[in-house]
């Protein structure tokens, strides 16, 4: 099979989102909104068989949508692994879209009463009304997304915090939020470490490369690495320095081109070495401790301090240790306001269908939970009984849906054109695809690829039916996730 590739496509619009589709002996070459000069081969039975000089210009679900977006009689909606608009041989027929449906790279490209909707192929869409589901402020007419629903009132234009370009890139320091106050503030707790140490699974490294390619969609307040009790990490080289020099350097290489293509990439990513990997004693959660004193837990203290001034989504890709310590401290202090500012989103801390109940009588019999079972039990019990704590446990759907749904016959080696893409491709490649399952946490927060946080309860509970349906939603959108990542990797590569 030969790849169908579109040239000159560094920018994320609907055209470049379908920049690579598999089709025998076909190559389209042309710039965005211009028409190509290669005809379809005779006798081909695909949708392109009768189309001479066609070129994809945007995602669609119907021909009427193409006509309304591009206003040309020759525009049609062709289905091939999804749907996308195509135009005839004349450049005039490839009209730029106007009004609602305009191609966009980010929210700033849309009118004040619209947002950039990636789920509809990166087109401007009318803001949502009060009560409708949301994942960020820009989606709401009130410009306030609270508890995953649009608020009925206006006011502050963000979730709080700095609107600068980001915080320190070291292991501590300031925790700037990265620039756009309409984006969700994100604090990542990952047990990620240098794969050469052979201490932790490399899946978090893959997930981190995926996150950094999507970093313009979030305000990154902190990435706390080596957030685990593994003894070997306390004597290993500083893992925040490793992450900065490895993943951070790859991000820096492609950032200016990512910024030119998509916009919104903060200049500095704040990496922190977890307090759990410093000192001499094992750092697991102690349910009998009040955690009133966090002087020896600097990264937990930093999270608490941030939550006192900002709403923040804490994405947990490893054990729930630091999250449990922070919640217990705020509960001890009676700091309800800060606790309400924290939303926990975790992947694979329980499961009915992969490990967990599927292999034993205990749905919490999964690695991320068993790594610190007291912390896991505390967070699940607290979120069920304390309405001030919001906790979304996605189960195994990153592995069973997002990863398993990714095509094994994809052109994976094309990711090696960029430094971040190469890390995504190679850090953990198993069963014919990269394994970055914990990325499910930020894709659910993003809400544009089949799964939204509002799809699961905010009290940490899960059912088998819900886990299966969420898995299937990710499976059905996995190819779109990979296509988008490749468009971003290609953009980054143009700077390298």
């Amino acid at each position: 099979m030969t790849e169908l590739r579109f040239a000159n496509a560094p920018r994320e619009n609907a055209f470049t989102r379908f920049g690579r589709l598999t089709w025998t002996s076909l190559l389209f070459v042309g710039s965005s909104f211009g028409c190509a000069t290669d005809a379809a081969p005779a006798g081909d039975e695909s949708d392109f068989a009768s189309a001479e000089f066609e070129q994809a210009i945007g995602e669609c679900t119907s021909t009427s949508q193409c006509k309304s977006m591009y206003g040309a009689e020759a525009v049609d909606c062709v289905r091939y692994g999804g749907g996308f608009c195509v135009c005839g041989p004349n450049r005039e027929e490839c009209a730029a879209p106007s009004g609602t449906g305009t191609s966009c790279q980010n929210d700033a490209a849309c009118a004040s009463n619209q947002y950039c909707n990636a789920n509809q192929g990166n087109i401007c869409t009318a803001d949502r009304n009060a009560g409708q589901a949301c994942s960020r402020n820009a989606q709401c007419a009130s410009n306030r997304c609270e508890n995953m629903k649009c608020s009925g009132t206006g006011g502050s234009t963000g979730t709080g915090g700095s609107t600068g370009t980001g915080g320190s890139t070291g292991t501590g320091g300031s925790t700037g939020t990265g620039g756009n106050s309409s984006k969700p503030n994100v604090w990542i707790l990952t047990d990620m470490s240098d794969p050469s140490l052979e201490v932790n699974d490399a899946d978090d490294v893959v997930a981190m490369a995926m996150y950094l390619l999507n970093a313009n969609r979030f305000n990154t307040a902190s990435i706390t690495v080596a957030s685990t009790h593994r003894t070997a990490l306390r004597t290993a080289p500083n893992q925040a320095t490793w992450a900065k020099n490895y993943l951070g350097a790859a991000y820096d290489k492609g950032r200016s081109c990512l910024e030119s293509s998509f916009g919104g990439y903060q200049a500095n990513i704040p990496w922190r070495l977890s307090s759990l990997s410093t000192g001499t004693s094992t750092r697991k959660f102690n349910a009998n401790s009040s955690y009133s004193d966090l002087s020896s837990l600097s990264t937990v203290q930093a999270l608490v301090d941030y939550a006192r001034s900002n709403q923040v989504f804490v994405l947990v890709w490893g054990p729930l240790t630091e999250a449990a310590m922070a919640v217990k401290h705020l509960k001890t202090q009676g700091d309800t306001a800060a606790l309400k500012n924290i939303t926990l989103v975790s992947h694979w801390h329980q499961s009915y269908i992969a490990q967990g109940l599927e292999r034993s009588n205990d749905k919490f019999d999964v690695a991320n939970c068993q790594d610190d079972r007291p912390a896991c039990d505390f967070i699940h019990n607290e979120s069920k009984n304390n309405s001030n704590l919001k906790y979304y446990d996605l189960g195994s759907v990153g592995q069973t849906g997002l990863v398993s749904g990714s095509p094994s016959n994809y052109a994976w080696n094309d990711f090696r054109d960029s430094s971040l893409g190469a890390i995504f491709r190679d850090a953990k490649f198993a069963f014919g695809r990269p394994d970055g399952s914990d990325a499910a946490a930020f894709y659910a927060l993003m809400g544009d690829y089949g799964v939204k946080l509002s799809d699961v309860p905010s009290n940490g509970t899960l059912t088998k039916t819900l886990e299966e349906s969420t898995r299937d939603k990710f499976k059905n959108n996995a190819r779109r996730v990979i296509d988008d990542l490749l468009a971003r990797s290609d953009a980054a590569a143009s700077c390298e």
Side-chain angles (χ1 to χ4, degrees):
M1 296 291 284
T2 301
E3 291 183 317
L4 179 149
R5 290 202 60 163
F6 302 127
N8 302 328
R11 192 171 287 274
E12 183 197 53
N13 47 38
F15 175 83
T16 59
R17 286 172 58 79
F18 282 85
R20 295 167 192 249
L21 299 172
T22 305
W23 187 43
T24 305
S25 303
L26 176 65
L27 176 67
F28 286 149
V29 181
S31 59
S32 181
F33 300 110
C35 293
T37 57
D38 290 279
D44 192 279
E45 296 179 356
S46 78
D47 287 314
F48 289 96
S50 62
E52 190 174 7
F53 309 125
E54 285 183 337
Q55 177 174 313
I57 55 175
E59 262 185 73
C60 58
T61 57
S62 68
T63 295
S64 61
Q65 184 184 30
C66 291
K67 292 180 185 298
S68 66
M69 287 170 62
Y70 298 95
E73 288 302 314
V75 173
D76 195 11
C77 183
V78 174
R79 292 193 170 276
Y80 188 89
F84 53 94
C85 301
V86 295
C87 68
N90 300 317
R91 286 183 179 272
E92 291 76 17
E93 293 171 343
C94 300
S98 60
T100 299
T102 300
S103 294
C104 54
Q105 291 79 51
N106 50 51
D107 296 323
C110 301
S112 60
N113 62 343
Q114 300 173 358
Y115 69 96
C116 191
N117 189 336
N119 200 40
Q120 296 297 321
N122 280 63
I123 59 174
C124 294
T125 305
D127 284 344
R128 301 173 185 178
N129 296 321
Q132 290 186 287
C134 59
S135 60
R136 63 185 193 277
N137 290 337
Q139 295 172 332
C140 303
S142 63
N143 207 32
R144 287 184 68 85
C145 179
E146 297 178 334
N147 298 323
M148 310 310 296
K149 288 182 184 280
C150 291
S151 167
T153 59
S156 163
T157 58
T159 54
S162 164
T163 57
T165 57
S168 161
T169 57
T171 59
S174 74
T175 58
T177 59
N180 189 335
S181 61
S182 68
K183 302 176 187 178
N185 299 320
V186 167
W187 192 288
I188 297 178
L189 299 174
T190 169
D191 57 359
M192 178 182 75
S193 59
D194 183 349
S196 69
L197 299 176
E198 298 184 350
V199 173
N200 291 307
D201 192 337
D203 60 341
D204 281 20
V205 180
V206 177
M208 191 61 68
M210 297 168 75
Y211 177 83
L212 292 173
L213 285 168
N214 283 282
N216 65 325
R217 289 162 161 163
F218 312 97
N219 291 329
T220 306
S222 179
I223 299 178
T224 305
V225 303
S227 182
T228 178
H229 61 84
R230 306 287 187 216
T231 304
L233 294 180
R234 292 202 297 272
T235 57
N238 187 306
Q239 292 302 287
T241 301
W242 162 78
K244 179 183 176 183
N245 292 340
Y246 180 50
L247 286 148
Y251 174 81
D252 290 343
K253 284 181 180 179
R255 191 189 70 82
S256 62
C257 285
L258 285 166
E259 177 67 25
S260 297
S261 296
F262 305 113
Y265 285 84
Q266 66 192 68
N268 299 305
I269 300 294
W271 304 93
R272 294 176 181 271
L273 175 64
S274 171
S275 306
L276 305 185
S277 289
T278 62
T280 57
S281 60
T282 298
R283 303 293 182 94
K284 284 190 175 185
F285 179 72
N286 179 0
N288 295 320
S289 174
S290 67
Y291 289 98
S292 58
D293 180 9
L294 297 177
S295 58
S296 64
L297 297 165
S298 62
T299 50
V300 180
Q301 182 69 64
L303 172 56
V304 166
D305 290 343
Y306 189 81
R308 288 189 169 122
S309 303
N310 306 277
Q311 293 182 12
V312 59
F313 290 87
V314 181
L315 311 186
V316 186
W317 296 1
L320 282 157
T321 308
E322 290 196 62
M325 291 172 174
V327 169
K328 188 65 175 288
H329 172 83
L330 292 173
K331 186 179 179 182
T332 297
Q333 299 295 319
D335 195 340
T336 302
L339 191 58
K340 285 182 175 179
N341 275 345
I342 291 177
T343 299
L344 301 177
V345 186
S346 77
H347 176 248
W348 217 346
H349 286 85
Q350 63 176 306
S351 181
Y352 291 84
I353 61 176
Q355 300 178 23
L357 205 63
E358 177 252 352
R359 72 178 180 187
S360 71
N361 292 321
D362 182 7
K363 65 181 179 180
F364 298 113
D365 184 15
V366 295
N368 281 343
C369 184
Q370 294 296 81
D371 264 2
D372 192 340
R373 184 60 183 262
C376 190
D377 289 344
F378 172 77
I379 289 295
H380 281 95
N381 291 332
E382 192 67 22
S383 60
K384 273 200 303 185
N385 299 305
N386 187 343
S387 61
N388 294 320
L389 176 62
K390 299 179 292 296
Y391 173 39
Y392 298 89
D393 188 333
L394 299 173
S396 66
V397 300
Q399 189 70 48
T400 57
L402 202 56
V403 175
S404 294
S406 299
S408 60
N409 60 344
Y410 202 83
W412 295 113
N413 288 345
D414 286 347
F415 280 95
R416 289 175 172 158
D417 291 345
S418 78
S419 297
L420 275 178
I423 294 173
F424 163 71
R425 162 63 177 84
D426 294 326
K428 183 182 180 183
F429 193 85
F431 302 104
R433 53 183 66 86
D435 182 353
S437 61
D438 286 327
F442 68 80
Y443 278 112
L445 171 57
M446 195 186 303
D448 292 330
Y449 292 92
V451 177
K452 305 181 296 294
L453 288 186
S454 56
D455 291 339
V456 297
S458 61
N459 64 353
T461 59
L462 194 64
T463 65
K464 182 179 181 182
T465 299
L466 183 55
E467 187 177 12
E468 288 174 335
S469 66
T470 309
R471 171 201 64 195
D472 293 343
K473 289 177 182 178
F474 265 142
K475 267 191 175 182
N476 292 337
N477 285 274
R479 174 61 183 253
R480 291 182 59 234
V481 168
I482 302 304
D483 285 343
D484 179 69
L485 284 172
L486 186 55
R488 292 167 181 270
S489 177
D490 283 348
S494 60
C495 272
E496 301 180 40

